[in-house]
Amino acid sequence: MKAIKLASVFAVTAVAAAVSTATFAADAIITGEAGVEYTTYNGDSKAVKDLADGTDLGELELHVDTGIVYAELEVATTGVDEGTKIGMEKLYVKQGAVSFGRFDGTVATGSFMGMDELFGGVDLKTAAGDTDNTGIRYKVTPELTIAVEATDSVKAVSAVADDPATVANESVAAVDAKKSEIGFAASYVMDFGAFKAGLSGGVVGDANAVNVGVQTVAGPATLSLNYGVGEKGTKTSTTTTTDVEQVTASVALAATDALTLTLEYSQDLESTGKPDGTYFIAEYVAGDLTYYVKNYAGDLAARSDTNGAEQTTVGVKVFF
């Protein structure tokens, strides 16, 4: 916890100092997207019938880059009537090759290439959480980045017995307090001309990760292959880890200037039965509008830690 507090104070203080002394190099850039889509869930893969849903596409992003401070604020719909969520996705300070603050992701997955809808590489995750937020990064060369990253902390929660005055089950399992931990991550990605290859990974507490990625372009097609292995902490213990091994392959085909087809195949090599899944999306751009069809299929698509259901979606959206 002290590590998180110290890093947060460090970052906020540096941001305040930079903003007070630096001249803004550019005005804020506002981007976003809006649209409507219709989703059909396959069979009993989700406890709802066919659903017409146009709320999940509403999003505004505010990007501010002063050359010293970078901030990214997101305002998005939550999927409920008039629901809105505001979040600070990124907020970090840059000083030469060093940047520190809040990031969105870990350097440990920096070598992942191609489509990452089902798997995005094995990240660093302990029982307390992942290292996707607080960090300090140093870009040693254009190809090599090293980082110090920290996990969240977890407050202790006592077990709560069922309340006999209510019908609902209000029992809560006891959770031990978990301190934040500081770890290390690195990523090296080299462009060899005919193909790109990368190696990344890291360690924090008992958790560790190693990822390897390769990508090449063949005419209108971009082929990517990724492999990740490591250990992740479990939610029920501060000492137990779970082995993780994943593989992902994807191909993106620019069929025409307007039509792009992308297919991802992923497999969990460590879980029982080695479940796999696919993600497919076809996008057609006509003027300012993008029409698309996307599909999630297989065991991985139905798992709650990825997409949550096998489904097919058709929709149209506009970026602004």
Side-chain angles (χ1 to χ4, degrees), residues 44-45 79-80 87 151 159 204 218 248 264-265 292 305-306 315:
D44 298 325
S45 63
V80 299
T151 66
V204 57
T248 292
E264 172 192 357
Y265 171 81
Y292 59 92
D305 60 346
T306 53

PDB file of all heavy atoms in Angstrom, residues 44-45 79-80 87 151 159 204 218 248 264-265 292 305-306 315:
ATOM      1  N   ASP A  44     -27.786 -21.124 -25.356  1.00  0.00           N
ATOM      2  CA  ASP A  44     -27.935 -20.732 -23.950  1.00  0.00           C
ATOM      3  C   ASP A  44     -26.640 -20.150 -23.395  1.00  0.00           C
ATOM      4  O   ASP A  44     -26.358 -20.257 -22.210  1.00  0.00           O
ATOM      5  CB  ASP A  44     -28.346 -21.946 -23.106  1.00  0.00           C
ATOM      6  CG  ASP A  44     -29.689 -22.507 -23.537  1.00  0.00           C
ATOM      7  OD1 ASP A  44     -30.545 -21.699 -23.936  1.00  0.00           O
ATOM      8  OD2 ASP A  44     -29.861 -23.733 -23.482  1.00  0.00           O
ATOM      9  N   SER A  45     -25.826 -19.524 -24.256  1.00  0.00           N
ATOM     10  CA  SER A  45     -24.532 -19.030 -23.803  1.00  0.00           C
ATOM     11  C   SER A  45     -24.652 -17.812 -22.911  1.00  0.00           C
ATOM     12  O   SER A  45     -23.694 -17.402 -22.283  1.00  0.00           O
ATOM     13  CB  SER A  45     -23.628 -18.697 -24.995  1.00  0.00           C
ATOM     14  OG  SER A  45     -24.206 -17.645 -25.744  1.00  0.00           O
ATOM     15  N   GLY A  79     -24.244   1.090 -20.460  1.00  0.00           N
ATOM     16  CA  GLY A  79     -25.172   0.069 -20.931  1.00  0.00           C
ATOM     17  C   GLY A  79     -26.538   0.161 -20.282  1.00  0.00           C
ATOM     18  O   GLY A  79     -27.469  -0.526 -20.701  1.00  0.00           O
ATOM     19  N   VAL A  80     -26.687   0.990 -19.247  1.00  0.00           N
ATOM     20  CA  VAL A  80     -27.995   1.188 -18.625  1.00  0.00           C
ATOM     21  C   VAL A  80     -28.554   2.524 -19.095  1.00  0.00           C
ATOM     22  O   VAL A  80     -27.829   3.359 -19.635  1.00  0.00           O
ATOM     23  CB  VAL A  80     -27.897   1.172 -17.089  1.00  0.00           C
ATOM     24  CG1 VAL A  80     -27.377  -0.167 -16.607  1.00  0.00           C
ATOM     25  CG2 VAL A  80     -27.004   2.291 -16.588  1.00  0.00           C
ATOM     26  N   GLY A  87     -13.712   7.904 -16.454  1.00  0.00           N
ATOM     27  CA  GLY A  87     -12.493   7.300 -15.931  1.00  0.00           C
ATOM     28  C   GLY A  87     -11.245   7.925 -16.529  1.00  0.00           C
ATOM     29  O   GLY A  87     -11.238   8.361 -17.677  1.00  0.00           O
ATOM     30  N   THR A 151       1.383  -3.394  -8.130  1.00  0.00           N
ATOM     31  CA  THR A 151       0.011  -3.892  -8.074  1.00  0.00           C
ATOM     32  C   THR A 151      -0.811  -3.051  -7.101  1.00  0.00           C
ATOM     33  O   THR A 151      -0.277  -2.235  -6.345  1.00  0.00           O
ATOM     34  CB  THR A 151      -0.033  -5.353  -7.589  1.00  0.00           C
ATOM     35  OG1 THR A 151       0.417  -5.410  -6.226  1.00  0.00           O
ATOM     36  CG2 THR A 151       0.860  -6.241  -8.442  1.00  0.00           C
ATOM     37  N   ALA A 159     -15.851 -12.292   7.094  1.00  0.00           N
ATOM     38  CA  ALA A 159     -16.990 -13.089   6.651  1.00  0.00           C
ATOM     39  C   ALA A 159     -18.257 -12.563   7.301  1.00  0.00           C
ATOM     40  O   ALA A 159     -18.292 -12.244   8.485  1.00  0.00           O
ATOM     41  CB  ALA A 159     -16.775 -14.551   7.014  1.00  0.00           C
ATOM     42  N   VAL A 204       6.512 -10.007 -10.606  1.00  0.00           N
ATOM     43  CA  VAL A 204       6.050  -9.229  -9.460  1.00  0.00           C
ATOM     44  C   VAL A 204       5.552 -10.222  -8.418  1.00  0.00           C
ATOM     45  O   VAL A 204       4.686 -11.052  -8.697  1.00  0.00           O
ATOM     46  CB  VAL A 204       4.947  -8.226  -9.840  1.00  0.00           C
ATOM     47  CG1 VAL A 204       3.756  -8.904 -10.473  1.00  0.00           C
ATOM     48  CG2 VAL A 204       4.528  -7.414  -8.620  1.00  0.00           C
ATOM     49  N   ALA A 218       2.198 -10.187 -45.830  1.00  0.00           N
ATOM     50  CA  ALA A 218       2.255 -10.887 -47.114  1.00  0.00           C
ATOM     51  C   ALA A 218       1.175 -10.311 -48.016  1.00  0.00           C
ATOM     52  O   ALA A 218       0.010 -10.692 -47.928  1.00  0.00           O
ATOM     53  CB  ALA A 218       2.051 -12.388 -46.911  1.00  0.00           C
ATOM     54  N   THR A 248      -1.960 -17.460 -29.461  1.00  0.00           N
ATOM     55  CA  THR A 248      -2.906 -16.694 -30.274  1.00  0.00           C
ATOM     56  C   THR A 248      -2.320 -16.476 -31.663  1.00  0.00           C
ATOM     57  O   THR A 248      -1.152 -16.123 -31.796  1.00  0.00           O
ATOM     58  CB  THR A 248      -3.204 -15.323 -29.628  1.00  0.00           C
ATOM     59  OG1 THR A 248      -3.934 -15.512 -28.431  1.00  0.00           O
ATOM     60  CG2 THR A 248      -4.031 -14.462 -30.558  1.00  0.00           C
ATOM     61  N   GLU A 264      -9.123 -14.070 -35.461  1.00  0.00           N
ATOM     62  CA  GLU A 264      -8.207 -14.442 -34.381  1.00  0.00           C
ATOM     63  C   GLU A 264      -8.560 -15.836 -33.863  1.00  0.00           C
ATOM     64  O   GLU A 264      -9.741 -16.152 -33.658  1.00  0.00           O
ATOM     65  CB  GLU A 264      -8.312 -13.451 -33.219  1.00  0.00           C
ATOM     66  CG  GLU A 264      -7.528 -13.875 -31.981  1.00  0.00           C
ATOM     67  CD  GLU A 264      -7.852 -13.051 -30.749  1.00  0.00           C
ATOM     68  OE1 GLU A 264      -8.652 -12.095 -30.865  1.00  0.00           O
ATOM     69  OE2 GLU A 264      -7.323 -13.362 -29.671  1.00  0.00           O
ATOM     70  N   TYR A 265      -7.542 -16.664 -33.649  1.00  0.00           N
ATOM     71  CA  TYR A 265      -7.725 -17.967 -33.013  1.00  0.00           C
ATOM     72  C   TYR A 265      -6.847 -18.009 -31.768  1.00  0.00           C
ATOM     73  O   TYR A 265      -5.650 -17.702 -31.826  1.00  0.00           O
ATOM     74  CB  TYR A 265      -7.328 -19.100 -33.964  1.00  0.00           C
ATOM     75  CG  TYR A 265      -7.305 -20.451 -33.268  1.00  0.00           C
ATOM     76  CD1 TYR A 265      -8.484 -21.166 -33.056  1.00  0.00           C
ATOM     77  CD2 TYR A 265      -6.108 -20.987 -32.795  1.00  0.00           C
ATOM     78  CE1 TYR A 265      -8.466 -22.390 -32.408  1.00  0.00           C
ATOM     79  CE2 TYR A 265      -6.083 -22.211 -32.142  1.00  0.00           C
ATOM     80  CZ  TYR A 265      -7.267 -22.910 -31.942  1.00  0.00           C
ATOM     81  OH  TYR A 265      -7.247 -24.117 -31.280  1.00  0.00           O
ATOM     82  N   TYR A 292     -20.162  -3.136 -39.714  1.00  0.00           N
ATOM     83  CA  TYR A 292     -19.365  -4.281 -39.291  1.00  0.00           C
ATOM     84  C   TYR A 292     -20.226  -5.459 -38.858  1.00  0.00           C
ATOM     85  O   TYR A 292     -21.393  -5.313 -38.473  1.00  0.00           O
ATOM     86  CB  TYR A 292     -18.424  -3.903 -38.148  1.00  0.00           C
ATOM     87  CG  TYR A 292     -19.133  -3.382 -36.912  1.00  0.00           C
ATOM     88  CD1 TYR A 292     -19.501  -4.241 -35.888  1.00  0.00           C
ATOM     89  CD2 TYR A 292     -19.426  -2.039 -36.782  1.00  0.00           C
ATOM     90  CE1 TYR A 292     -20.154  -3.770 -34.764  1.00  0.00           C
ATOM     91  CE2 TYR A 292     -20.068  -1.552 -35.659  1.00  0.00           C
ATOM     92  CZ  TYR A 292     -20.436  -2.422 -34.650  1.00  0.00           C
ATOM     93  OH  TYR A 292     -21.087  -1.940 -33.540  1.00  0.00           O
ATOM     94  N   ASP A 305     -14.089 -14.352 -18.308  1.00  0.00           N
ATOM     95  CA  ASP A 305     -12.897 -13.507 -18.268  1.00  0.00           C
ATOM     96  C   ASP A 305     -12.457 -13.045 -19.649  1.00  0.00           C
ATOM     97  O   ASP A 305     -11.458 -12.356 -19.792  1.00  0.00           O
ATOM     98  CB  ASP A 305     -11.737 -14.223 -17.562  1.00  0.00           C
ATOM     99  CG  ASP A 305     -11.346 -15.526 -18.257  1.00  0.00           C
ATOM    100  OD1 ASP A 305     -12.124 -15.995 -19.097  1.00  0.00           O
ATOM    101  OD2 ASP A 305     -10.269 -16.048 -17.947  1.00  0.00           O
ATOM    102  N   THR A 306     -13.194 -13.442 -20.697  1.00  0.00           N
ATOM    103  CA  THR A 306     -12.902 -12.911 -22.034  1.00  0.00           C
ATOM    104  C   THR A 306     -14.113 -12.113 -22.497  1.00  0.00           C
ATOM    105  O   THR A 306     -14.361 -11.020 -22.026  1.00  0.00           O
ATOM    106  CB  THR A 306     -12.548 -14.050 -23.016  1.00  0.00           C
ATOM    107  OG1 THR A 306     -13.586 -15.038 -22.973  1.00  0.00           O
ATOM    108  CG2 THR A 306     -11.248 -14.699 -22.637  1.00  0.00           C
ATOM    109  N   GLY A 315     -23.556  -4.076 -36.771  1.00  0.00           N
ATOM    110  CA  GLY A 315     -23.719  -2.706 -36.316  1.00  0.00           C
ATOM    111  C   GLY A 315     -23.114  -1.692 -37.271  1.00  0.00           C
ATOM    112  O   GLY A 315     -22.512  -2.053 -38.286  1.00  0.00           O
TER     113      GLY A 315
END
